[in-house]
Amino acid sequence: MYTPNPNQSPTANRGWQRVFQRGKLTLGIMFPIEAFERDQPTMHNQVALAQFAEKSGFSSLGFRDVPLRDPNFGDVGQVFDPWAYLGYMAAQTTEIALLTASIILPLRHPIHIAKAAASIDQLSNGRLLLGIATGDRMVEFPAFNVDFESRGAMFREEVDLLKIYWSEFYPQISSSFGHLQHADVIPKPVASHVPLLVTGHSQQDLGWIARNADGWMSYPRSIEAQAQVVQRWRDTVEAELPGQYKPFTQSYFIDLADNPNEAPTPIHLGHRLGRNALLVHLRASKRIGVDHMIFNVKYGKRPAGEVLQELAEFVLPEFI
């Protein structure tokens, strides 16, 4: 187990170093690594696919936090609890970053989040990147007795508490979540805190995200629109913290066609396209400053193993 170092920057983590390198675009893959038509995947063969992704040069494995099955939403993520699945996949891999996209802070107590995240961070030797969000599935909030309209304020408070639990020993805290006295939250993470990536705006302004997060995670857009979003992020970080590098991450749904020359056609939050058009899109994304892109193959027509094999042979070598 790593010895925690509260003075060490979270960017020293192995997961961060694999995923984020200034001026470089890296690629990840989201669980479930399979195409499926309804809301629930089979979750078959995921270990072998994850290990192939790691061996091929993917930088991250993405884990969803979907506590309840909402039939109106159409996607339950990887089905299994994210903390349990993170621990399971941490034991099946050695180098690839483990990235949550994203843990819903208002639905969980911050002590539970701090302990679970630091545990995964330690057990994986510093490979956890913690994507966090306020959540947008309204059916979940009354089930947890959480006020949907209060989720933004809860999110801010939990971010502050997580950093205290991770970096301080025996802190004395009174908050809306409870009173901590004469006890400590263990384990501590490898560094001062687990790297935090805020998803979307999470009810916050961009300046707050720049000051409090280690990076920003957003959604796919046209190259022209995304270029403006990335530039706005860079400008905000520079205004709030001059000279600091805080990366930009995005998701991207792909249906990789058999024909390598097939032109892109829109699908939900992404494109159906051949690998040559995908390469054009990735090069443009790198040019506008996207640091990390996480593929999701839910809407694919081909077996995920075939898609990963093609990406490994023809796409990944340019971005490793």
Side-chain angles (χ1 to χ4, degrees):
M1 189 169 77
Y2 274 33
T3 301
N5 182 353
N7 297 315
Q8 185 179 46
S9 166
T11 61
N13 285 26
R14 293 169 64 226
W16 181 279
Q17 292 170 355
R18 180 165 177 130
V19 171
F20 297 123
Q21 301 171 43
R22 194 191 294 253
K24 183 175 180 179
L25 172 65
T26 60
L27 304 175
I29 188 77
M30 185 74 70
F31 286 115
I33 309 174
E34 78 178 87
F36 55 105
E37 292 185 357
R38 296 181 176 85
D39 68 336
Q40 186 167 333
T42 68
M43 296 305 295
H44 292 164
N45 204 34
Q46 297 295 287
V47 169
L49 291 169
Q51 290 173 337
F52 179 81
E54 178 177 56
K55 181 180 178 181
S56 301
F58 278 94
S59 294
S60 76
L61 297 170
F63 299 75
R64 305 278 297 284
D65 183 11
V66 185
L68 299 176
R69 185 178 194 175
D70 178 358
N72 296 315
F73 208 90
D75 186 359
V76 296
Q78 78 275 334
V79 180
F80 301 117
D81 176 84
W83 301 116
Y85 207 54
L86 278 160
Y88 179 67
M89 283 297 173
Q92 308 296 327
T93 56
T94 58
E95 300 295 332
I96 197 166
L98 310 171
L99 184 154
T100 61
S102 295
I103 297 297
I104 309 304
L105 295 196
L107 300 183
R108 299 171 181 270
H109 194 285
I111 290 179
H112 288 149
I113 297 171
K115 187 176 184 72
S119 298
I120 296 298
D121 192 49
Q122 285 281 351
L123 292 169
S124 68
N125 291 337
R127 289 190 283 139
L128 180 63
L129 303 175
L130 196 66
I132 53 175
T134 50
D136 57 4
R137 302 189 185 201
M138 294 187 67
V139 71
E140 294 174 338
F141 285 79
F144 286 88
N145 196 30
V146 172
D147 176 30
F148 186 76
E149 298 303 324
S150 299
R151 68 196 191 282
M154 293 175 67
F155 183 86
R156 291 192 298 274
E157 185 177 11
E158 289 197 69
V159 168
D160 289 341
L161 289 171
L162 288 174
K163 292 182 179 180
I164 293 171
Y165 296 148
W166 284 330
S167 63
E168 297 185 19
F169 297 89
Y170 294 93
Q172 307 293 301
I173 297 174
S174 291
S175 75
S176 64
F177 293 94
H179 307 283
L180 177 63
Q181 294 184 343
H182 313 302
D184 198 16
V185 180
I186 59 169
K188 304 298 183 186
V190 170
S192 61
H193 64 268
V194 177
L196 295 173
L197 308 174
V198 169
T199 303
H201 282 83
S202 291
Q203 308 295 303
Q204 315 305 320
D205 66 68
L206 206 56
W208 184 95
I209 296 172
R211 293 189 302 273
N212 291 276
D214 299 294
W216 190 30
M217 188 152 41
S218 193
Y219 306 97
R221 301 171 180 86
S222 69
I223 291 296
E224 295 76 17
Q226 197 74 305
Q228 296 179 22
V229 171
V230 173
Q231 189 59 54
R232 185 161 59 92
W233 170 242
R234 302 286 186 225
D235 292 344
T236 303
V237 171
E238 183 61 26
E240 297 288 344
L241 301 162
Q244 287 202 24
Y245 164 65
K246 295 203 173 188
F248 181 91
T249 296
Q250 70 159 86
S251 59
Y252 187 47
F253 284 76
I254 60 169
D255 176 8
L256 192 66
D258 285 306
N259 177 3
N261 296 312
E262 184 167 326
T265 55
I267 61 174
H268 181 61
L269 296 175
H271 293 99
R272 172 178 171 83
L273 73 181
R275 67 171 182 258
N276 291 327
L278 176 60
L279 280 166
V280 170
H281 183 78
L282 294 176
R283 290 164 185 156
S285 297
K286 177 182 178 181
R287 186 173 62 252
I288 66 171
V290 176
D291 296 284
H292 186 59
M293 186 178 293
I294 310 167
F295 293 141
N296 191 320
V297 297
K298 170 179 167 49
Y299 300 117
K301 301 295 188 296
R302 298 166 61 191
E306 283 186 17
V307 172
L308 288 189
Q309 182 67 52
E310 185 169 344
L311 293 174
E313 185 174 355
F314 296 103
V315 176
L316 277 169
E318 187 171 327
F319 300 96
I320 294 177

